[in-house]
Amino acid sequence: MPEKTRVQFDFTLEALQTLDRLKGRLNVSTRADVIRYALRVLDWVLSTTESNAKILVEKDARQQEIVFP
């Protein structure tokens, strides 16, 4: 098992509510699981956009590019 390091975050009430809502939507057991999932997604997004690829969202047959700073 990989070595773990404890990290502590301070969240606003709104951010904590969002974290808990995502925990339910993802059907994961811990808030840490949500954070790990979010880190993987953000890493993928940044790797993709840094390689000059575009991320597109399609809804109702319309495409929109997602732009990240």
Side-chain angles (χ1 to χ4, degrees):
M1 175 178 268
E3 184 178 330
K4 293 184 179 183
T5 302
R6 178 172 284 283
V7 178
Q8 184 172 330
F9 298 98
D10 293 323
F11 284 90
T12 63
L13 179 58
E14 181 181 359
L16 187 60
Q17 290 170 339
T18 299
L19 184 63
D20 287 337
R21 191 169 50 253
L22 289 169
K23 181 175 162 265
R25 290 173 70 187
L26 291 168
N27 195 32
V28 295
S29 59
T30 67
R31 292 171 173 162
D33 288 332
V34 177
I35 300 297
R36 282 189 284 272
Y37 184 88
L39 288 172
R40 286 192 306 272
V41 171
L42 182 58
D43 187 49
W44 175 82
V45 166
L46 293 176
S47 295
T48 300
T49 56
E50 287 170 349
S51 69
N52 296 319
K54 293 181 180 180
I55 299 174
L56 303 174
V57 173
E58 185 175 320
K59 182 177 180 181
D60 300 327
R62 295 183 66 206
Q63 287 187 350
Q64 180 178 353
E65 182 180 353
I66 305 300
V67 179
F68 292 88

